[in-house]
Amino acid sequence: MDGDDERTGGGGHARTGGGGHARTGDGEFRRDRNYLTTRITADGRDGYPVEPGRYRLIIARACPWANRAAIVRRLMGLEDVLPMGIAGPVHDERSWSFHLDPDGRDPVLGIERLQEAYFRREPGYPRGVTVPAIVDVPTGEVVTNDFARITLDLGSQWSAHQRDGAPDLYPERWRDEIDEVSEEVYRDVNNGVYQCGFAGGQRAYDTAYRRLWDRLDRLEERLAGRRFLVGDTITEADVRLFPTLVRFDAVYHGHFKCNRQKLTELPALWAYARDLFQTPGFGDTIDFDQIKAHYYVVHHDINPSGIVPRGPDTGNWLSPHGREALGGRPFGDGTPPGPPPPSEQVPSPSERAPSPG
């Protein structure tokens, strides 16, 4: 499972005490992967059975790790049974906060900071306050922030409440390959961009940079002749790669010094990312303004001025991608999800494209 520390590594994690990420003696960024592993399951084995309306998924539009949970929730059609709260993109080291909501409080949980739900679970919670997190509404306590398990469980444990036509993102016949590809993507790409951006020395940066681009080159080659990463449908592997790709040119290319090339200069990966972006459940979870506001404002050590760049123009995310020629069935035997609820809609790229001058 993956998450981020806002003091040393931004994106999904706000530091609240003794926990958090660190750098090694040679400046390598090390991610703390210690999470609350309690599960919400159909049989309630951990004391938290699946119940419509009982839990609240907390995300931030800015965070790539939370983005994955938002995508799977959309694909599974769980909007009505698992309501979602959205933390704002700008916060301090204590916690993600609900500064976008009226009165600065989540309207269901009644809290100003996600930290409060962690403290209800464990007073003085010593590790990072991460998104995504699922909160038990009756008690106000965080149940889990174990992202990798959250998405897998939304696709399996919540099956009784999924929409008709929900896709199988983790088909048994492809699980070994999905796991292998997902681990490579996590190590070298999802986490790799952070290891570049928060490296504390040239050698650590150079190592992370080479590893990132070696993997992106392999993915470019892999996707040149196939529409999706594994099999002929969208799987967990695609859900895990997409949030990094969609943030690449807007943030990681410059802000994290991952600047050998832009995503738009990698033909297969750029077309693949647009294909997913234009698939219901993917692009309709993306808010580029919140993404940029988070990284460029919160990361004072990288961007002390707090200036948020105007570009890049995001209207090109809606341009034709031509990936249909490779075949494949995005949803397998399933169907696309309907539109997001009005309260969860985000501006389209065409509405956000910066004007010249």
Side-chain angles (χ1 to χ4, degrees), residues 27-31 186-201 204-209 211 256 258:
E28 180 186 356
F29 170 68
R30 289 283 177 89
R31 184 179 302 281
Y186 166 74
R187 183 188 65 234
D188 300 334
V189 181
N190 300 146
N191 194 44
V193 294
Y194 287 94
Q195 289 185 314
C196 289
F198 290 95
Y205 165 76
D206 289 346
T207 298
Y209 181 91
R211 193 163 54 232
F256 278 180
C258 302

Side-chain angles (χ1 to χ4, degrees), residues 2 8 22 30 32-33 46 93 128 131 150 194 204 213 220 237 244 247 262 274 289 299 307 320:
D2 339 308
T8 59
R30 289 283 177 89
D32 177 4
R33 300 178 71 177
D46 288 353
E93 66 180 22
V131 288
I150 286 174
Y194 287 94
W213 283 104
E220 175 76 7
T244 299
R247 288 161 174 78
K262 296 177 181 177
R274 297 202 315 281
D289 289 340
H299 297 165
I307 294 172

